[in-house]
């Protein structure tokens, strides 16, 4: 029988992103401890962002929308290993290159994490993890920024805005970052 997500062991880090403990995810969540996480932005060929609806049983922001796949880096796992695992588990994405973009820190009343952002291009089909993802759909950056998809998880929105700030002057017509 697979372990519950709440029992997964996560590396807790200090303010400099140095490991200080390994604890069950439920403790990291309930005590809002700093940890590492991955954010995988999936774009289609038109530059639209894959948005996923979180299931109602998620421990943080149930039923909200994420503009990135991803999750907590497990103990003994690298950011890259976590990104590949999460893309495969949540969306069924395997064998697609995940390009690392940047690291950032996010803190709010729900989450304290050092995140690493990755991008990829994938058109589907997607195989959704029923415990984590209720549904997915591609949306333009303009739709996301206009608030047409709400509520959005704050950390994924912060990561998206930072990713968009990296795009070359002029950007592409879809207002999405160049990923190839």
């Amino acid at each position: 029988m697979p372990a519950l997500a709440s029992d997964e062991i996560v590396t807790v880090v200090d303010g400099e992103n140095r490991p200080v403990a390994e604890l069950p995810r439920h403790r990291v969540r309930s005590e809002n401890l700093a940890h590492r996480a991955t954010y995988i932005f999936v774009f289609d060929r038109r530059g639209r962002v894959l948005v996923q609806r979180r299931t109602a049983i998620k421990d943080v922001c149930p039923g909200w929308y994420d503009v990135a796949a991803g999750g907590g880096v497990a103990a003994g796992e690298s950011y890259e290993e976590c990104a590949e695992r999460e893309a495969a588990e949540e969306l069924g994405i395997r064998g697609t290159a995940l390009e690392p973009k940047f690291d950032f820190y996010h803190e709010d009343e729900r989450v304290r994490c050092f995140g690493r952002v990755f991008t990829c291009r994938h058109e589907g089909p997607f195989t959704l993890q029923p415990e984590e993802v209720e549904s997915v759909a591609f949306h333009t950056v303009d739709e996301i920024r206009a608030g047409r998809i709400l509520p959005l998880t704050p950390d994924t929105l912060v990561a998206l805005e930072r990713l968009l700030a990296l795009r070359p002057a002029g950007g592409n017509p879809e207002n999405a970052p160049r990923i190839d």
Side-chain angles (χ1 to χ4, degrees), residues 12-20 33-36 104-107 112-114:
V12 176
V13 297
D14 66 13
E16 300 297 318
N17 197 14
R18 294 180 299 232
V20 294
L33 300 173
H35 62 286
R36 295 174 178 160
F104 74 106
Y105 179 75
H106 177 78
E107 181 175 345
R112 290 177 48 211
C113 71
F114 288 88

Side-chain angles (χ1 to χ4, degrees), residues 1 11 14 18 29 32 38 46 51 56 71 86 93 97 110 112 116-117 120 128-129 144 151 164 166:
M1 183 165 148
T11 300
D14 66 13
R18 294 180 299 232
R29 290 293 196 195
N32 198 8
T38 57
R46 292 175 42 202
V51 177
E86 291 287 353
I93 295 175
R110 295 177 193 90
R112 290 177 48 211
R116 180 162 297 164
V117 170
C120 72
L128 307 183
Q129 183 179 20
I144 295 166
L164 294 173
L166 295 177

Side-chain angles (χ1 to χ4, degrees), residues 3 33 36 42 57 72 85 88 114 118 135 170 176:
L33 300 173
R36 295 174 178 160
V42 179
I57 60 171
R85 176 179 56 79
F114 288 88
F118 296 84
S135 62

Side-chain angles (χ1 to χ4, degrees), residues 39-43 47-51 66-68 102 104 117-119 139-145 152-167 175-177:
Y39 296 81
I40 306 137
F41 290 92
V42 179
F43 294 92
R48 297 179 303 170
V49 181
L50 186 69
V51 177
D66 279 326
V67 292
F102 60 89
F104 74 106
V117 170
F118 296 84
T119 61
H139 292 278
T140 67
V141 170
D142 288 341
E143 289 172 329
I144 295 166
R145 283 180 162 164
L152 282 172
T153 54
D155 57 330
T156 65
L157 187 56
V158 166
L160 178 62
E161 289 300 337
R162 290 183 183 191
L163 180 62
L164 294 173
L166 295 177
R167 73 174 177 252
N175 283 336

